[in-house]
């Protein structure tokens, strides 16, 4: 199927009348809905002035058809569900730190010294076992 001048004119006329791409494709025959949409875009017809064959849509009509946005209440700070209170020394008792979300550290920076997590301990043990097996392999 090729887009002849007659078919393009029929497409333009039906599109201006507010027909859907599916209706136009059925009328033209041998063309899909997506082909009609693609041709409409290539012809620059994508912005219709009418909706389903009725009067042109004005900005006032568009504004009237949109539902009013409900006003959002201002966010109020609420009590954290499970705060973590850190006060290790008596002199720090006045400066209590409340943390509601986990701290995400920068992976590019070295970790502060301390005890490894259980996951790290398990990973290290697994790595040691793998290294032992690798040393026994003959190459």
């Amino acid at each position: 199927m090729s887009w002849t001048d007659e078919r393009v004119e029929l497409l333009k006329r039906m599109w201006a009348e507010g027909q859907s791409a599916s209706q136009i494709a059925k009328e033209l025959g041998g063309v899909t809905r997506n082909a009609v949409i693609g041709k409409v875009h290539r012809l620059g017809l994508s912005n219709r002035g009418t909706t389903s064959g009725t009067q042109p849509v004005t900005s006032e009509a568009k504004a009237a058809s949109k539902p009013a946005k409900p006003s959002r209440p201002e966010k109020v700070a609420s009590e954290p569900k499970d705060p973590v209170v850190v006060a290790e020394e008596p002199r720090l008792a006045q400066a209590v730190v409340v943390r509601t979300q986990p701290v995400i550290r920068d992976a590019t920076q070295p970790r502060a010294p301390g005890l490894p997590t259980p996951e790290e301990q398990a990973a290290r043990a697994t790595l040691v076992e793998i290294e032992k097996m690798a040393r026994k392999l003959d190459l």
Side-chain angles (χ1 to χ4, degrees):
M1 197 279 328
S2 64
W3 288 100
T4 63
D5 291 339
E6 296 83 26
R7 291 171 69 91
V8 171
E9 289 305 317
L10 181 60
L11 167 71
K12 287 180 181 179
R13 184 177 50 77
M14 293 178 74
W15 187 259
E17 290 173 358
Q19 302 255 347
S20 71
S22 298
Q23 293 169 332
I24 297 170
K26 285 179 188 176
E27 180 69 26
L28 291 173
V31 65
T32 65
R33 172 185 165 274
N34 286 336
V36 170
I37 292 170
K39 189 64 173 178
V40 165
H41 285 285
R42 287 190 298 277
L43 292 171
L45 304 176
S46 60
N47 294 330
R48 292 191 201 193
T50 61
T51 56
S52 66
T54 60
Q55 297 295 324
V57 178
T58 61
S59 59
E60 293 86 18
K62 286 181 184 177
S65 67
K66 290 183 181 178
K69 289 184 179 179
S71 61
R72 291 184 178 177
E74 291 186 24
K75 291 185 178 182
V76 179
S78 61
E79 295 270 334
K81 292 180 181 177
D82 294 323
V84 178
V85 179
V86 179
E88 296 176 1
E89 297 181 17
R91 63 185 172 99
L92 296 178
Q94 293 174 352
V96 175
V97 178
V98 177
R99 184 175 40 188
T100 58
Q101 294 189 0
V103 176
I104 300 174
R105 71 173 186 87
D106 185 5
T108 61
Q109 301 298 320
R111 254 186 80 199
L115 297 175
T117 63
E119 293 84 13
E120 290 173 336
Q121 288 176 344
R124 286 182 185 156
T126 304
L127 183 60
V128 168
E129 292 301 317
I130 292 172
E131 287 176 348
K132 285 180 184 176
M133 290 186 328
R135 287 189 185 124
K136 295 178 182 178
L137 291 176
D138 291 332
L139 298 178

